[in-house]
Amino acid sequence: MESKYLYLTNIVLLIITVSQICAAQNDITLSVFTVTSKSMTVRWSGHTGASSYKITATPKNSPEPSVFAQVSGSTVMGSVNSLSPNTVYRVRVEAMDNAVNVLSSAETEETTAPEVPVIVQAYSKHSDSIIVEFGQVIGATGYILRAETDDGFFSETAVQNSPGTVINLQPYTQYTLSVMSVNSGGRSQPSLPMPARSVLVAPQLNSSSPSSDIIVVSWNPVDQAVLYTLCLIMEGSDTRVKLNTSETNMTFSALEPGTTYSIKANAWDPDGIQGDDITISQITRPPVPGAVLVQLMPGRSVGLEVFWMQVQGADSYIALSSTGQNCSSLDAYCVISPLSCGQNHTVTVTASNEAGPSEPSNPEDLLTFPCSPELVWIEEPTAGNCSVMWSEVSWVDYYIAYVKRDDGLEEQCNTTGTTCQFNCICGYTYLTTVFAYNQAGSSPPGQVLNYTTIPCCPEDVFVSLISTETLEISWSSVRGAEIYETIAADGPERIHCSDTAPVCALSDLTCDSLYSVVVRPCNDIQCNNTCVPHTRRTAPCAPEIQNVTQVDSSTVQVSWTSANTQANYTVLAMSRTDDFSCSSTGTSCTISNVTCGATYDISTTAFTEAGRSLPSYSVPLETGPCCPDTLSVEQMTQAMTNVVWSPAIGAHSYVTSLTSPRGHAKCHTMDTHCLMGCITCNTHYNVSLEAISITGHKTQCNYHGFSSSGCCPSSVKLYRMANNTLRVYWRSSPGLYNYTADLYGTRSNYTCNAEQGSNSCDVAEILCGEVYTVVVAPLTQDGSKVTFCSRRLYSVSCSGNSVGMVIYRGRRSVD
């Protein structure tokens, strides 16, 4: 037989090889781990040398014979069967060798499970449970009910005795049920199974009472249900109505108003088995209240009293007026308050309980006194002719309007309309109120209107320009004016100002515009539109500088644009040390005598008869740096010069240039001197310097030209002549220069000058036996000697008392 658990009915030997045992022991340890009502399964530790094991189960308190089982020495588990239920057994395991000698043994006690119970019957009364009745067995301390389905559901429920209930089941589901007995030894085998099905779930009812004699019940369909039974019972009565239906709703009619009914329902399955039942309560709506009485409470506008007869089943009552007001009560009386004037109340009373409200009672009417007009106003279409007007009021027979002037004069007007006319004087205040009347009496006092007639125009209006685009207008206060409107118009542009004070500032006007300004005194109704305007022109527009150009080192030209029709303009250039200006009626002018190496803020201001404009935005101007006051050029070598100059105001760096048709040299430095190479001898150079400010402004400075010295001669040679004379020879460069030749010895020095155009000269009375340094150099225009020409060494020997051999010893640079 198959089930969730498998129980041994025969001897099952679980063979476990000795090699699988972690550690063999000489003493056997024994445990029983599976017990049923007729079998036990035991496990022991293996013993070294055992060839077989013997299992013996002996009843402890019974004369029944012992039960034996024997297994091979390679196993450590075995079972004994054919035991008696609910019996205590002494279980013994013995390890034996091949000669059937007992090597070791172990013993324990265990009780078998009780006998298997038998299910008598299984049935369901509720959709989530099944009741199981079974026969109880001796020795059982409890029972386990097992429920299974074909789709894998499985549950076990512990119970103490029969009958037992399996819970948490699904509605209308087929289950296989079995029972097992339990004691300290374990559980018995399952009983023979018995099928049973849970019943249908009860329908979930929703009920309501749409009227005082009807209850409507509805529900969602119940799965597998083919019929529904509903039973209606009136509370406190034996009257009941029982109906069957295959629909999902039911209406019970001809019921008692305001009465509570119990509604019981259940579903039936196709086999005719009744499912769960459910019971709900529903009360019908109460009947309509009768004998409604409506009357005013003592005193005006206090409240409206409503009385009625109480009805069965009502929890509360509400009295509703056609005005939307209401009052509620648990008794037969309530007050609608506060009352309002001019109302025709139609009152109905409705009773309510948890099912809803009843139908409203027959209406009762009541009319109150009229209201005073909500809106009262005065119009003055022309000066001196006024009309008091008001909004129409309901339930009114006629009106009386009272008009009182602030000097005490009073008049009244009686009319069925909503308008009364009266004479009014400019600048006076009138107090006006209107009463409405009907058969119930007069209305409460209405609003008192404070009206001032159109004020007169002020005569001493003064318009002044207080800033470039702001006009200030002032005047004397006039009688009856509550506010003054000041309007300035320039063509389509209109600027509006309203204030209670007799002064107004109109700002953000258009510059250089002629405005027509009018002051209109106003009260809370209208303004006086007959006042004479005054004209005033605003200050000229601020010009906008377009270009600032430095024409030369001391002249700046400024140009601007302006929206002014005609104006004089003044341009101001300001620095830390000095200011300069120029004026023009056009859009440009020239500022002279600006300083080099300075920073100016340049702005332009316009002037007209109306005033002066705001200055334009300032435009910064940085003039070019000043030229150095002094500059000198000194030739250091034949191809190199040193240029030195004095510091220049505003200059951050300098570019010095020497230019000629034969080449040029340039030096960029932040110092006031510069060493320049690649100079060509015997050449005239133009000398210039460019002073550069830190922002890149440049000034070109020109100075007197510079002429480089003549070129040093080449191929200088020394020849011996007669009479102790030496001739110095050289190859001169192009150009007519005077040359001088110097011979420097240890004991004497010699100099000879060559004529212009000559390339040699003679030195007489030479001392022989010396080494001479020979230098040939051209003379400058001022007659000075060039000092950077190269030197040659010659050795002059003696031949007797006269000059002997002259030998070239090499060249050397200038010291």
Side-chain angles (χ1 to χ4, degrees):
M1 181 179 63
E2 295 182 357
S3 65
K4 190 67 176 180
Y5 292 92
L6 299 178
Y7 293 89
L8 300 176
T9 57
N10 296 309
I11 297 178
V12 178
L13 299 181
L14 303 178
I15 300 175
I16 303 175
T17 61
V18 175
S19 61
Q20 294 173 314
I21 301 175
C22 295
Q25 301 177 0
N26 291 328
D27 293 330
I28 296 176
T29 59
L30 177 64
S31 63
V32 178
F33 67 93
T34 301
V35 178
T36 66
S37 58
K38 293 186 178 182
S39 66
M40 291 185 187
T41 300
V42 296
R43 177 185 291 167
W44 56 88
S45 59
H47 189 278
T48 305
S51 61
S52 64
Y53 294 93
K54 180 181 180 182
I55 305 170
T56 304
T58 303
K60 185 176 180 181
N61 300 313
S62 173
E64 295 182 9
S66 299
V67 179
F68 301 95
Q70 188 165 358
V71 297
S72 68
S74 61
T75 62
V76 292
M77 182 182 298
S79 297
V80 288
N81 300 315
S82 302
L83 303 181
S84 298
N86 195 35
T87 302
V88 178
Y89 281 88
R90 182 179 294 110
V91 181
R92 179 179 182 85
V93 175
E94 297 173 321
M96 296 179 293
D97 58 13
N98 292 329
V100 195
N101 296 317
V102 176
L103 302 177
S104 179
S105 65
E107 186 175 294
T108 186
E109 289 185 0
E110 189 63 60
T111 303
T112 56
E115 291 184 353
V116 177
V118 175
I119 295 178
V120 177
Q121 65 175 339
Y123 54 90
S124 174
K125 289 187 176 181
H126 299 286
S127 60
D128 62 347
S129 64
I130 293 178
I131 299 173
V132 181
E133 295 182 4
F134 53 88
Q136 300 186 153
V137 297
I138 299 174
T141 58
Y143 300 89
I144 295 176
L145 302 180
R146 179 178 294 171
E148 301 176 81
T149 62
D150 294 339
D151 58 2
F153 174 81
F154 176 88
S155 73
E156 290 185 344
T157 303
V159 298
Q160 293 297 317
N161 47 42
S162 176
T165 302
V166 181
I167 59 176
N168 298 323
L169 303 180
Q170 295 297 317
Y172 199 71
T173 302
Q174 185 74 30
Y175 291 91
T176 299
L177 302 168
S178 59
V179 61
M180 294 173 286
S181 58
V182 179
N183 65 5
S184 60
R187 59 173 68 177
S188 70
Q189 292 181 338
S191 67
L192 292 176
M194 177 173 289
R197 174 180 290 155
S198 55
V199 297
L200 292 174
V201 68
Q204 298 300 311
L205 302 182
N206 298 309
S207 65
S208 63
S209 175
S211 65
S212 59
D213 62 345
I214 293 177
I215 291 178
V216 176
V217 184
S218 63
W219 58 92
N220 291 327
V222 176
D223 189 28
Q224 301 298 327
V226 297
L227 188 68
Y228 302 94
T229 299
L230 279 81
C231 182
L232 180 72
I233 306 172
M234 186 173 69
E235 189 177 72
S237 171
D238 293 335
T239 303
R240 63 181 60 200
V241 177
K242 187 173 184 180
L243 297 174
N244 292 329
T245 180
S246 59
E247 303 296 330
T248 57
N249 58 79
M250 180 72 70
T251 299
F252 297 96
S253 58
L255 305 179
E256 293 292 330
T259 303
T260 300
Y261 290 86
S262 295
I263 305 167
K264 182 179 180 181
N266 61 267
W268 298 80
D269 65 13
D271 297 328
I273 298 176
Q274 179 178 330
D276 266 356
D277 58 44
I278 184 172
T279 301
I280 63 170
S281 294
Q282 176 65 52
I283 189 171
T284 54
R285 296 194 183 194
V288 177
V292 176
L293 174 64
V294 179
Q295 64 184 28
L296 287 174
M297 294 182 66
R300 174 176 289 184
S301 299
V302 175
L304 190 66
E305 295 179 321
V306 185
F307 300 88
W308 59 87
M309 293 291 293
Q310 290 183 307
V311 293
Q312 177 183 340
D315 295 334
S316 63
Y317 301 87
I318 184 169
L320 178 64
S321 171
S322 56
T323 63
Q325 294 174 280
N326 64 78
C327 64
S328 59
S329 174
L330 301 179
D331 299 322
Y333 162 81
C334 71
V335 176
I336 296 177
S337 66
L339 291 183
S340 297
C341 56
Q343 292 180 327
N344 186 12
H345 289 270
T346 299
V347 179
T348 58
V349 178
T350 303
S352 297
N353 60 19
E354 63 183 24
S358 69
E359 294 294 327
S361 66
N362 293 327
E364 294 292 327
D365 296 332
L366 184 68
L367 179 64
T368 63
F369 51 86
C371 298
S372 57
E374 292 185 0
L375 297 177
V376 179
W377 68 97
I378 294 177
E379 292 183 357
E380 189 178 358
T382 60
N385 295 318
C386 294
S387 297
V388 57
M389 309 173 74
W390 56 88
S391 58
E392 187 174 0
V393 180
S394 301
W395 318 107
V396 173
D397 295 334
Y398 62 94
Y399 304 90
I400 296 178
Y402 297 89
V403 180
K404 185 175 182 179
R405 202 167 67 187
D406 57 3
D407 61 355
L409 181 64
E410 184 177 358
E411 58 181 303
Q412 68 181 43
C413 168
N414 191 328
T415 180
T416 58
T418 57
T419 302
C420 279
Q421 295 180 345
F422 63 96
N423 294 326
C424 54
I425 301 174
C426 173
Y428 278 90
T429 300
Y430 292 84
L431 300 177
T432 304
T433 185
V434 180
F435 287 87
Y437 295 84
N438 66 6
Q439 294 179 356
S442 68
S443 68
Q447 62 172 325
V448 177
L449 180 64
N450 187 336
Y451 173 73
T452 301
T453 55
I454 297 176
C456 296
C457 294
E459 296 181 356
D460 53 349
V461 177
F462 180 73
V463 183
S464 60
L465 182 68
I466 61 173
S467 69
T468 56
E469 297 172 357
T470 302
L471 294 176
E472 183 183 65
I473 303 95
S474 59
W475 58 91
S476 297
S477 300
V478 295
R479 181 182 177 90
E482 296 183 1
I483 195 168
Y484 299 92
E485 290 188 351
T486 306
I487 300 174
D490 175 24
E493 181 185 15
R494 292 173 64 86
I495 307 297
H496 185 272
C497 169
S498 295
D499 204 336
T500 57
V503 64
C504 180
L506 299 176
S507 57
D508 196 26
L509 302 179
T510 303
C511 55
D512 194 42
S513 297
L514 184 64
Y515 280 89
S516 175
V517 180
V518 63
V519 178
R520 302 192 308 173
C522 305
N523 55 25
D524 57 351
I525 299 177
Q526 58 186 330
C527 299
N528 193 332
N529 296 317
T530 63
C531 300
V532 177
H534 302 265
T535 58
R536 187 68 163 84
R537 182 176 291 275
T538 54
C541 301
E544 180 180 355
I545 295 178
Q546 294 294 307
N547 193 23
V548 177
T549 305
Q550 186 171 1
V551 180
D552 53 35
S553 59
S554 63
T555 305
V556 175
Q557 186 177 33
V558 183
S559 60
W560 59 87
T561 59
S562 177
N564 298 315
T565 304
Q566 184 175 2
N568 294 324
Y569 299 91
T570 297
V571 180
L572 181 62
M574 300 178 63
S575 70
R576 293 183 179 180
T577 57
D578 49 18
D579 300 337
F580 299 97
S581 64
C582 65
S583 299
S584 173
T585 58
T587 58
S588 66
C589 71
T590 301
I591 300 176
S592 303
N593 301 322
V594 295
T595 306
C596 61
T599 300
Y600 291 91
D601 288 329
I602 299 177
S603 62
T604 306
T605 305
F607 296 86
T608 63
E609 293 180 355
R612 62 180 293 171
S613 72
L614 293 173
S616 67
Y617 295 121
S618 295
V619 175
L621 171 67
E622 180 184 333
T623 59
C626 300
C627 290
D629 293 335
T630 62
L631 182 142
S632 62
V633 183
E634 180 183 2
Q635 188 166 1
M636 305 301 293
T637 66
Q638 180 173 292
M640 186 169 62
T641 60
N642 187 30
V643 183
V644 181
W645 57 89
S646 60
I649 298 174
H652 181 257
S653 63
Y654 306 90
V655 176
T656 307
S657 300
L658 301 179
T659 59
S660 73
R662 300 178 63 185
H664 67 279
K666 183 178 288 188
C667 172
H668 193 176
T669 180
M670 295 175 64
D671 300 322
T672 56
H673 58 84
C674 188
L675 198 63
M676 302 175 66
C678 300
I679 300 301
T680 305
C681 57
N682 192 23
T683 303
H684 181 76
Y685 287 90
N686 293 323
V687 180
S688 64
L689 180 141
E690 189 176 45
I692 306 172
S693 71
I694 195 171
T695 59
H697 285 71
K698 300 178 181 179
T699 300
Q700 186 69 36
C701 308
N702 295 316
Y703 296 91
H704 292 294
F706 162 73
S707 295
S708 61
S709 64
C711 299
C712 292
S714 60
S715 301
V716 176
K717 296 180 180 179
L718 189 64
Y719 295 100
R720 182 181 65 177
M721 306 297 290
N723 299 325
N724 290 331
T725 298
L726 292 177
R727 173 167 289 180
V728 183
Y729 173 82
W730 60 88
R731 184 181 297 164
S732 60
S733 59
L736 297 176
Y737 287 95
N738 293 327
Y739 291 88
T740 179
D742 294 311
L743 280 71
Y744 302 100
T746 58
R747 293 178 295 171
S748 60
N749 299 325
Y750 302 93
T751 299
C752 68
N753 295 314
E755 295 182 358
Q756 189 174 29
S758 176
N759 59 354
S760 65
C761 68
D762 295 332
V763 180
E765 303 298 330
I766 292 296
L767 292 179
C768 62
E770 281 272 18
V771 175
Y772 289 97
T773 299
V774 181
V775 179
V776 180
L779 299 178
T780 62
Q781 292 181 355
D782 59 1
S784 60
K785 182 169 54 178
V786 174
T787 62
F788 43 73
C789 292
S790 60
R791 301 182 177 189
R792 289 174 173 261
L793 294 179
Y794 285 91
S795 175
V796 180
S797 64
C798 293
S799 176
N801 292 326
S802 61
V803 174
M805 295 294 292
V806 178
I807 301 173
Y808 176 61
R809 300 291 296 273
R811 299 178 62 183
R812 57 180 294 185
S813 301
V814 178
D815 293 336

